[in-house]
Amino acid sequence: RKFNLEGPLAEICSSLLKGNRIRFWGDHCFLKEPGSKIRTAFHQDAPYFPFYGNDACVCWVPVDSATKESGTMGYVRGSHQWREFAPNALVTRERMSNDENVPMLPNIEERESEYDIAYFDVEPGDVIVHFPRTVHGSLGNVSNHRRRLAASVRYVGEDVRWVADKATEIGVRNTVARKWKLQRDMTKFGSSNLFYLWEASKYFARGSLRSTNILPLGNENCLLDQFDYRHSPHWCYLEMKTGEDLGARDCSRCAFPLVYPRKKLKSKL
């Protein structure tokens, strides 16, 4: 978290976006063990994000040295200008959207020679930055002894706005899709499962305290800082309205903090 919020990436993204205010959006780590034949299907990141706007950067940060053999990332040149396509399952080309009006990407994996694809050999300390609609993917890690660990860290700028009803409908036909759906189901509290009821009770209790400003988000003296940090992204799905700036609500300011210009962040985490 310190690297994401206080490291050099936000300033790099600010220079690329030519923006004055940069917010941290989120991150993932991706590991490919030696000998893994599982590739990352060519995809765009934009279909998985509940926002619109052009001021967005995805930073691919290698923890290990990576080559095409060990699964470094490849990018289709010029694809940042393509339309937004339907999301896939990442490890396969399987559709993860029920909206048949949104087309799937072409089958680039089987026709790589027809596209101008740039693969970058990278070392720890490097960073590759791409636009969320840029099409990218990687092969498996066919090396015998070298793992490939990398982080994907995302930042957004001033023109990004929330989309509460984005047409991307995540399916449940594979493990990756189930994880995405679980995150969304947790925000709806539509299950009779005691776990969901417990999460709902915590949300509404915390919401009451927030509305009276007794325990505002981001207060370093608040004993529930860890709870706020974990749950504020889910609260955004409940509270944010389409077209709102990511700084419009306390839940979004906690989930997607302003990281540039940099100010001293107070946290118990």
Side-chain angles (χ1 to χ4, degrees):
R1 188 168 190 252
K2 184 175 181 180
F3 174 76
N4 291 338
L5 303 188
E6 302 179 32
L9 294 182
E11 187 170 357
I12 292 172
C13 292
S14 176
S15 67
L16 292 172
L17 298 174
K18 296 180 172 55
N20 296 322
R21 294 165 63 84
I22 302 297
R23 290 186 178 276
F24 169 68
W25 170 256
D27 64 1
H28 281 95
C29 285
F30 297 97
L31 172 65
K32 290 190 177 183
E33 296 284 6
S36 172
K37 297 181 179 179
I38 299 176
R39 70 166 300 146
T40 302
F42 281 98
H43 65 283
Q44 300 167 312
D45 293 331
Y48 306 95
F49 297 160
F51 63 72
Y52 64 85
N54 291 320
D55 290 348
C57 287
V58 180
C59 303
W60 199 77
V61 185
V63 177
D64 305 308
S65 300
T67 63
K68 187 175 181 180
E69 178 190 47
S70 64
T72 195
M73 199 61 68
Y75 300 84
V76 180
R77 296 184 194 271
S79 60
H80 63 288
Q81 300 181 32
W82 293 5
R83 63 159 294 161
E84 186 173 310
F85 289 86
N88 61 34
L90 298 180
V91 293
T92 71
R93 293 189 66 252
E94 182 183 7
R95 173 185 283 272
M96 289 178 63
S97 170
N98 293 328
D99 186 354
E100 298 296 334
N101 294 319
V102 181
M104 294 291 294
L105 273 170
N107 191 346
I108 300 172
E109 288 83 356
E110 294 184 2
R111 304 200 308 271
E112 282 202 28
S113 62
E114 299 178 17
Y115 297 87
D116 185 3
I117 302 175
Y119 287 93
F120 295 97
D121 292 350
V122 292
E123 299 291 335
D126 291 340
V127 59
I128 304 172
V129 184
H130 68 266
F131 183 59
R133 286 204 305 271
T134 301
V135 177
H136 56 290
S138 67
L139 301 173
N141 183 359
V142 297
S143 64
N144 294 322
H145 61 280
R146 185 170 54 187
R147 72 172 190 178
R148 193 226 67 181
L149 177 63
S152 176
V153 188
R154 301 85 180 233
Y155 296 89
V156 296
E158 297 180 58
D159 81 337
V160 166
R161 297 293 182 269
W162 186 265
V163 180
D165 54 352
K166 192 169 183 179
T168 301
E169 181 66 30
I170 304 302
V172 291
R173 290 172 289 180
N174 52 64
T175 302
V176 175
R178 282 195 295 271
K179 290 180 179 178
W180 279 95
K181 186 173 187 299
L182 176 61
Q183 289 185 355
R184 283 156 174 76
D185 283 351
M186 284 182 67
T187 70
K188 297 176 182 177
F189 306 124
S191 171
S192 59
N193 187 291
L194 289 178
F195 171 76
Y196 291 104
L197 293 176
W198 173 240
E199 291 297 313
S201 66
K202 288 192 293 185
Y203 166 74
F204 289 114
R206 189 70 178 96
S208 298
L209 294 174
R210 285 164 54 209
S211 65
T212 59
N213 209 37
I214 295 176
L215 290 174
L217 289 180
N219 185 338
E220 66 272 17
N221 297 316
C222 175
L223 297 177
L224 300 179
D225 276 356
Q226 183 66 43
F227 180 84
D228 288 345
Y229 177 64
R230 289 202 317 268
H231 292 273
S232 55
H234 297 300
W235 297 343
C236 290
Y237 282 95
L238 278 167
E239 299 177 10
M240 293 287 286
K241 306 297 183 184
T242 294
E244 286 187 331
D245 177 87
L246 296 191
R249 296 177 183 264
D250 64 348
C251 60
S252 60
R253 291 191 293 271
C254 183
F256 317 119
L258 186 69
V259 291
Y260 189 86
R262 185 170 292 115
K263 61 182 179 179
K264 188 175 181 181
L265 299 171
K266 298 180 180 180
S267 173
K268 288 187 176 183
L269 302 177

